[in-house]
Amino acid sequence: MNCERHPDKVAVARCSECGEPVCAECAEKTSALRESYGTLCLDCYRSEVQGIADYYAAKKSRRLRNMILMTVFYVIGIVLLAICGPVGGGGLITAVIALAAVVCCGIGPIIWVANRHKEAHDAYEERNGVTYNVKSTWDGNVKVEREKGNTVLGFLILIMMAFGILISPVVIIITLIGVINAAKKVKMYDNYIAMLQ
């Protein structure tokens, strides 16, 4: 049995995805994913690597968008807090501006917590399948809904809102680190594809 890509070379394995014969040279070129996917032919390897690169590119894009939103709301909150000083006097207008500032500063951490919750939930579903809650409604019917774990999420959102002015810069930096790491992963997997050329 000879390699599909190199007909002059004897195959040492079969592709774990499509079953094509794979020679030692092809097996070596695709070794970066061997631990997770087994031996792959060049086409299946390219497809898997492209899928992983696309996943990290989407993650990078989502985190970058969230970081920009968090930064904008935090800056608005700080500006509103700065306005409270000159307006001052402790009147209703000052209270409304201060409340708006606290809300704006808390939005960034809420976005961060909600995004981390979604990523963790999606990763759990990918490993274990979708889980459901079955509840009885007030009228005696049964309601089936996707498990979301929103009780903990709601508690975290309250904490983030209360301490948003202190937490926002931290979560913005953490998100920036996530963007950089995702960009590195995209570059690494793009390099894997380029090595096949």
Side-chain angles (χ1 to χ4, degrees):
M1 175 173 68
N2 287 357
C3 177
E4 190 76 22
R5 185 59 64 99
H6 304 102
D8 56 322
K9 296 186 178 176
V10 176
V12 295
R14 284 193 174 273
C15 175
S16 59
E17 293 287 321
C18 68
E20 243 182 47
V22 178
C23 69
E25 181 184 336
C26 290
E28 182 58 35
K29 283 185 178 179
T30 63
S31 63
L33 297 183
R34 186 174 299 138
E35 190 174 313
S36 301
Y37 295 91
T39 302
L40 297 172
C41 68
L42 295 178
D43 292 334
C44 290
Y45 175 79
R46 182 179 285 111
S47 174
E48 292 293 345
V49 170
Q50 189 61 59
I52 296 168
D54 292 346
Y55 166 79
Y56 281 110
K59 196 173 193 176
K60 179 187 85 166
S61 176
R62 187 174 58 249
R63 287 183 174 178
L64 184 60
R65 183 193 68 230
N66 289 343
M67 187 188 74
I68 291 168
L69 276 173
M70 289 187 283
T71 304
V72 166
F73 278 112
Y74 185 68
V75 168
I76 290 170
I78 294 299
V79 168
L80 289 174
L81 281 176
I83 290 171
C84 281
V87 171
L92 181 63
I93 293 174
T94 304
V96 169
I97 293 172
L99 180 62
V102 168
V103 169
C104 284
C105 287
I107 287 174
I110 289 170
I111 291 170
W112 182 75
V113 166
N115 188 54
R116 298 294 294 201
H117 177 77
K118 182 183 179 331
E119 286 180 3
H121 192 261
D122 291 347
Y124 175 84
E125 280 189 356
E126 190 174 316
R127 282 191 315 273
N128 304 302
V130 181
T131 57
Y132 294 94
N133 279 337
V134 179
K135 299 179 182 177
S136 295
T137 59
W138 64 271
D139 59 356
N141 291 325
V142 175
K143 182 179 180 183
V144 180
E145 58 185 24
R146 184 176 168 184
E147 171 64 60
K148 295 177 184 161
N150 286 336
T151 306
V152 174
L153 180 61
F155 180 69
L156 286 173
I157 284 174
L158 287 175
I159 291 173
M160 294 301 177
M161 182 62 78
F163 298 102
I165 196 160
L166 301 173
I167 297 173
S168 277
V170 175
V171 298
I172 289 168
I173 290 168
I174 290 170
T175 305
L176 176 61
I177 291 167
V179 169
I180 292 167
N181 287 339
K184 285 179 182 176
K185 293 267 189 182
V186 170
K187 186 174 183 179
M188 178 179 77
Y189 286 107
D190 284 345
N191 285 340
Y192 286 169
I193 293 172
M195 287 182 347
L196 295 177
Q197 309 306 332

